[in-house]
Amino acid sequence: MRTELHIPSDLKFLNVAENWLLGSLELEIGDEVDWTRQSSRLRLALVEAYSNVVRHAHRDRPNLPVLIRLEVKERDLILEIWDHGQGYDLSTYLAPCPEDKQENGYGWLILNRLMDRVEYRLQVDGRNCLKLEASLMAEIK
């Protein structure tokens, strides 16, 4: 199954994106997965990725759409979030130090904890792509 959502760069549409993601997955996978556990994990990953696009990549251009693409092969999930921003050079990323009580900069760490694989590609055909992959096999009832 493969589906995609084109959505405005506005946090008021976050609930729409969450419902689309979880609804699509439930239709495809059904009751074979512990949705209580999976929905929390996947919702948090989506919220982090989408809100970063809205707040950072499209900050000065809220009229640009965000493309969210979902692919499910058996019980492997691939979620891509595409934006039109300048992009972020991950080689400059420094993980925050908890003692500093830093408020920002935890997104990359959170995504890597939640998902099995995280990849970020800069400027693919003029857009950036955050690719999140997870296997739902471990969670099958």
Side-chain angles (χ1 to χ4, degrees):
M1 183 267 298
R2 188 173 187 171
T3 184
E4 58 186 44
L5 175 68
H6 296 260
I7 190 164
S9 295
D10 190 324
L11 290 178
K12 69 183 176 187
F13 288 93
L14 185 55
N15 196 27
V16 172
E18 289 177 24
N19 290 334
W20 166 82
L21 174 64
L22 297 175
S24 297
L25 287 170
E26 286 188 49
L27 282 173
E28 180 66 16
I29 297 172
D31 61 357
E32 298 175 21
V33 170
D34 178 359
W35 285 111
T36 304
R37 231 174 132 178
Q38 285 299 333
S39 64
S40 296
R41 165 180 131 159
L42 298 172
R43 178 178 282 124
L44 181 55
L46 178 66
V47 166
E48 183 60 39
Y50 177 72
S51 65
N52 275 346
V53 169
V54 172
R55 290 181 296 124
H56 301 294
H58 292 178
R59 174 185 51 226
D60 298 324
R61 301 178 299 172
N63 58 319
L64 293 175
V66 179
L67 168 62
I68 305 172
R69 187 174 288 147
L70 171 66
E71 186 173 351
V72 178
K73 293 179 183 175
E74 296 183 16
R75 297 298 171 259
D76 293 328
L77 168 145
I78 300 170
L79 185 65
E80 295 178 345
I81 297 88
W82 291 83
D83 71 71
H84 296 272
Q86 182 176 356
Y88 183 76
D89 181 1
L90 280 173
S91 69
T92 65
Y93 175 73
L94 295 173
C97 180
E99 293 83 38
D100 294 342
K101 297 182 176 136
Q102 182 176 329
E103 290 184 21
N104 298 316
Y106 292 92
W108 189 249
L109 294 173
I110 291 169
L111 291 173
N112 279 281
R113 287 276 203 189
L114 293 172
M115 306 302 284
D116 297 331
R117 185 165 184 249
V118 179
E119 177 184 323
Y120 183 67
R121 293 178 284 164
L122 268 153
Q123 296 303 307
V124 179
D125 297 327
R127 298 182 296 171
N128 306 299
C129 178
L130 176 65
K131 185 176 182 181
L132 308 171
E133 297 182 32
S135 174
L136 303 177
M137 291 300 287
E139 300 298 325
I140 291 180
K141 293 180 184 176

